[in-house]
């Protein structure tokens, strides 16, 4: 299904945003409701379900925290995330130096955390049962941990030298956090430990000959602005402004040396990319200029480029229940990428006699093309 993703002509996402879209999140409980955050501070909540049951439909916006809302973010919203355990709450963080905890039913902030600098990224653990910590990456090199229970941001992780552009909790171990910084480093932390930092990932795997002392223990030769764990938490994918993407063994910290080629990345802030879930093999969906590049995570092969946006793509999110992808762009559009319907093959025709000239040899005879529909 992922190999046949295409821009769906029958599904639209209602266009509400009047400026670029920076962040998307689909709630993990039902996979039905999606949040988006825009560079004008606006947050929109969509219902992805086809309530009309017609083949062509528009995903409707249920609510908007618009410019006239008293608690709207003053500047660009960089990250939105649903509370992982139910849809009654969601979170947003912004260049206005705040993180807001929203009550979905009243659309009022239940809590607001204030920081000294711009907030680039925040994340709640998808698996935590013993803590309610939100990790926050800001213009400060210190990683902030905000406790939802106490409402205070007591905990600080120190070790980075420059601003923290990306944070991500492990989906496997509830106390393990990965952070990526403009200093080129990716650090793994156990937030129960006083010293905090477990390891600093090293692209050269400790081979001193390859690394000048300057580059020792850097994950990238540029700013690290994107992090994403694989669904099982065993690997971590990182992306940097050195136009490289790297896959790490998250338990040993080893660079697996998968080569994805040049992954163009000119973003001055966090880049929100996604990894598939429940696919074999797993895929990475990476904003790449005005397209989305689809890679196989473990072999590094560039499978396809999804084209449809008119301007820079800032974020994408994967819907695992139906293997669908949604992307948000500077062009103010959210696009839905849906697997092409597969043609039924009559019993008396062998698969081999179907026209094959338009199939990528990597998955020959797997899917029919969309040219033959209707």
């Amino acid at each position: 299904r992922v190999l046949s993703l295409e821009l769906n002509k029958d599904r639209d996402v209602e266009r509400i945003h009047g400026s670029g879209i920076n962040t998307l999140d689909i709630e993990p409980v039902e996979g039905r409701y999606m949040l988006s955050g825009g560079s004008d501070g606006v947050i929109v909540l969509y219902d992805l379900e086809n309530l009309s049951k017609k083949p062509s439909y528009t995903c409707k916006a249920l609510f908007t925290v618009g410019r006239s809302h008293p608690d709207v973010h003053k500047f660009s919203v960089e990250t939105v995330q649903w509370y992982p355990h139910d849809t009654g709450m969601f979170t947003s963080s912004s260049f206005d130096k705040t993180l807001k905890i929203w009550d979905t039913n009243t659309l009022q902030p239940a809590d607001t955390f204030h920081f000294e600098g711009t907030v680039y990224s925040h994340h709640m653990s998808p698996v935590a049962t013993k803590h309610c910590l939100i990790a926050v990456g800001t213009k400060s090199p210190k990683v902030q941990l905000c406790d939802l229970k106490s409402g205070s941001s007591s905990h600080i992780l120190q070790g980075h030298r420059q601003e923290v552009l990306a944070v991500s909790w492990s989906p496997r171990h509830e106390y393990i956090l990965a952070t990526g910084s403009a200093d080129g480093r990716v650090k793994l932390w156990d937030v129960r430990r006083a010293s905090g930092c477990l390891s600093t990932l090293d692209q050269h795997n400790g081979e001193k000959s390859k690394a000048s002392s300057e580059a020792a223990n850097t994950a990238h030769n540029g700013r690290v602005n994107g992090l994403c764990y694989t669904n099982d938490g065993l690997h971590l994918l990182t992306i940097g402004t050195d136009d490289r993407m790297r896959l790490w063994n998250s338990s040993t910290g080893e660079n697996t040396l998968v080569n994805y080629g040049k992954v163009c990345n000119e973003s001055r802030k966090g880049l929100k990319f996604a990894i598939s879930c429940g696919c074999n093999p797993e895929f990475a969906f990476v904003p790449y200029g005005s397209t989305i590049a689809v890679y196989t995570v473990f072999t590094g092969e560039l499978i396809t480029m999804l084209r449809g946006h008119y301007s820079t793509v800032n974020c994408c999110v994967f819907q695992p229940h139906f293997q669908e992808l949604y992307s948000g762009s500077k062009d103010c559009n959210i696009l839905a990428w849906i697997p092409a319907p597969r043609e039924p093959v009559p019993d008396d025709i062998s698969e081999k006699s179907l026209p094959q000239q338009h199939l990528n040899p990597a998955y020959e005879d797997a899917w029919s093309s969309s040219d033959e529909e209707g």
Side-chain angles (χ1 to χ4, degrees):
R1 287 171 66 84
V2 170
L3 294 176
S4 64
L5 281 178
E6 58 180 32
L7 191 56
N8 193 291
K9 300 169 200 64
D10 297 323
R11 185 173 325 177
D12 276 321
V13 179
E14 191 176 350
R15 187 171 165 158
I16 303 285
H17 285 281
S19 71
I21 294 153
N22 295 326
T23 171
L24 295 169
D25 192 41
I26 296 174
E27 45 85 16
V29 184
E30 291 178 82
R32 174 175 173 179
Y33 299 103
M34 182 169 73
L35 290 166
S36 63
S39 46
D40 54 0
V42 170
I43 298 170
V44 184
L45 194 165
Y46 304 89
D47 185 348
L48 302 179
E49 187 133 320
N50 181 4
L51 297 171
S52 70
K53 299 287 182 268
K54 293 183 180 137
S56 294
Y57 71 102
T58 298
C59 301
K60 288 286 184 211
L62 298 180
F63 304 111
T64 303
V65 179
R67 292 306 314 152
S68 57
H69 191 288
D71 299 297
V72 67
H73 281 290
K74 293 186 176 55
F75 305 123
S76 176
V77 173
E78 292 298 305
T79 313
V80 289
Q81 190 193 358
W82 286 102
Y83 179 60
H85 308 294
D86 68 62
T87 54
M89 186 161 86
F90 65 89
T91 56
S92 63
S93 61
S94 161
F95 277 179
D96 66 10
K97 308 179 184 177
T98 65
L99 162 69
K100 295 189 178 184
I101 317 298
W102 297 86
D103 178 322
T104 312
N105 299 311
T106 63
L107 282 196
Q108 301 297 322
D111 210 344
T112 303
F113 294 91
H114 297 270
F115 302 93
E116 284 170 21
T118 305
V119 184
Y120 288 105
S121 168
H122 77 269
H123 193 229
M124 279 179 283
S125 167
V127 294
T129 54
K130 300 185 182 72
H131 73 75
C132 289
L133 296 172
I134 306 178
V136 186
T138 71
K139 216 165 178 69
S140 155
K142 297 172 184 161
V143 180
Q144 310 269 344
L145 297 180
C146 298
D147 192 337
L148 267 185
K149 281 206 175 82
S150 69
S152 71
S153 51
S154 51
H155 216 82
I156 285 171
L157 305 174
Q158 300 199 44
H160 282 298
R161 297 174 191 177
Q162 291 180 46
E163 51 197 356
V164 177
L165 299 171
V167 295
S168 181
W169 292 97
S170 161
R172 195 177 187 86
H173 304 290
E174 65 175 286
Y175 293 106
I176 304 297
L177 175 70
T179 59
S181 162
D183 63 13
R185 289 174 171 79
V186 172
K187 289 181 178 287
L188 299 179
W189 314 79
D190 180 335
V191 299
R192 293 168 300 186
R193 289 172 42 152
S195 61
C197 190
L198 288 174
S199 63
T200 302
L201 301 183
D202 175 17
Q203 58 184 308
H204 303 293
N205 286 334
E207 289 186 40
K208 293 285 175 274
S209 56
K210 292 185 185 165
S212 64
S213 56
E214 170 67 7
N217 275 23
T218 55
H220 288 270
N221 300 328
R223 302 152 62 85
V224 181
N225 58 354
L227 296 171
C228 193
Y229 275 97
T230 53
N231 196 48
D232 58 14
L234 295 177
H235 290 86
L236 177 68
L237 199 56
T238 65
I239 195 162
T241 54
D242 54 358
D243 293 341
R244 287 282 176 257
M245 189 155 75
R246 296 206 164 93
L247 183 71
W248 309 83
N249 177 319
S250 59
S251 55
T252 64
E254 188 179 5
N255 179 359
T256 62
L257 304 176
V258 173
N259 182 6
Y260 300 94
K262 184 178 180 185
V263 184
C264 283
N265 173 4
E266 290 166 3
S267 173
R268 300 297 305 146
K269 50 188 194 177
L271 191 70
K272 311 279 196 272
F273 65 99
I275 296 180
S276 64
C277 163
C279 299
N280 183 16
E282 297 291 0
F283 300 93
F285 306 97
V286 183
Y288 196 112
S290 62
T291 67
I292 300 152
V294 183
Y295 297 91
T296 48
V297 170
F298 294 105
T299 62
E301 189 185 352
L302 175 60
I303 296 288
T304 186
M305 302 287 266
L306 301 177
R307 302 177 195 282
H309 282 291
Y310 300 111
S311 184
T312 309
V313 178
N314 292 325
C315 55
C316 47
V317 64
F318 188 69
Q319 207 286 22
H321 301 60
F322 303 111
Q323 280 101 37
E324 298 168 348
L325 186 74
Y326 291 84
S327 57
S329 160
K330 202 170 163 180
D331 63 13
C332 310
N333 289 323
I334 297 173
L335 298 183
W337 308 86
I338 313 291
R342 191 171 167 175
E343 299 267 306
V345 179
D347 296 336
D348 54 337
I349 303 179
S350 79
E351 296 253 347
K352 288 280 171 281
S353 62
L354 290 171
Q356 309 236 315
Q357 68 282 359
H358 44 259
L359 292 181
N360 178 325
Y363 45 98
E364 209 154 316
D365 331 81
W367 314 105
S368 65
S369 84
S370 52
D371 311 341
E372 293 140 18
E373 285 168 22

